[in-house]
Amino acid sequence: MIGEILAFATWAATYVASAIVWAGLIGIPLSVPLLIWFPRLVPLLLSSLFAVFLTLLPFPDPATFDCGTTAARVILQPFDGLGGIAGNIARTGQVWRLLTDLTFVSSVMNVVFFMLPGAALTLLLRSAWMAAACGLGLSLAIEVTQFTGNLGWYDCAYRYADVTDLMTNTLGVWLGFLLARRLTGHRARRANPS
């Protein structure tokens, strides 16, 4: 059990680190002009790029990628894979397997990692509903990119476009906005107690 969890945690840490590297490689050069003219956009740019690369990685090698074995697929049933997880847990009683189930972990991580762009939106927006709309737009762009093989970079999709991801990503942005707004509101009140 512990070996499985550690192996999965090592893979997940490597996956997140690679998304950070890609976001930095693309985002830092783009941030330089923004720092001069629109510095409030930099956190949103970097956090959004991080979220985008989390959803697109790992990039398959185009030389070995075979469209014949990968069919583009859209999953329209919300939380499609979670029912099977619940059934396995009920049968085996091994709740700890949630920690190594890719479907469950990716749903939770969608919420957690998309909280970063949501928090960054507090520098630009006042409305939580506008933040949720921005999150929906970002998530929809990601799902379209996945379905189209990175907008045609690949001849076919290598990731699924999933309505559950659309929902959990949007929820993450909305929660991140609300949490950051609450935390910054408390700080402002402490600084100005009058």
Side-chain angles (χ1 to χ4, degrees):
M1 169 175 96
I2 301 226
E4 279 184 68
I5 292 172
L6 286 175
F8 188 82
T10 301
W11 172 84
T14 304
Y15 181 65
V16 170
S18 64
I20 291 170
V21 168
W22 273 99
L25 287 172
I26 303 296
I28 290 173
L30 293 175
S31 296
V32 173
L34 288 178
L35 284 171
I36 298 166
W37 293 294
F38 305 105
R40 288 180 161 208
L41 283 176
V42 172
L44 181 61
L45 171 72
L46 294 175
S47 61
S48 296
L49 283 173
F50 171 64
V52 165
F53 283 113
L54 273 176
T55 61
L56 298 180
L57 291 175
F59 297 127
D61 180 2
T64 61
F65 185 64
D66 180 19
C67 285
T69 61
T70 307
R73 194 169 127 198
V74 178
I75 301 171
L76 296 175
Q77 182 177 348
F79 305 102
D80 183 41
L82 296 181
I85 297 167
N88 286 339
I89 290 171
R91 260 192 328 278
T92 65
Q94 297 177 331
V95 178
W96 66 270
R97 289 213 177 263
L98 285 175
L99 299 174
T100 60
D101 185 273
L102 191 56
T103 303
F104 176 78
V105 171
S106 69
S107 292
V108 171
M109 291 297 103
N110 281 350
V111 174
V112 170
F113 287 126
F114 275 79
M115 289 175 77
L116 296 171
L121 281 169
T122 60
L123 298 172
L124 304 167
L125 301 174
R126 292 188 181 271
S127 166
W129 297 110
M130 285 300 296
C134 290
L136 179 63
L138 174 63
S139 185
L140 188 59
I142 288 169
E143 297 306 313
V144 167
T145 302
Q146 288 177 335
F147 182 72
T148 58
N150 292 1
L151 304 175
W153 186 261
Y154 292 94
D155 292 335
C156 59
Y158 62 91
R159 301 285 299 258
Y160 295 137
D162 190 347
V163 72
T164 302
D165 291 347
L166 193 67
M167 294 164 61
T168 54
N169 297 349
T170 304
L171 176 64
V173 170
W174 186 66
L175 290 175
F177 181 88
L178 292 175
L179 183 61
R181 184 63 83 187
R182 183 170 179 87
L183 291 175
T184 56
H186 285 299
R187 283 194 197 128
R189 269 186 247 131
R190 277 192 220 123
N192 300 320
S194 54

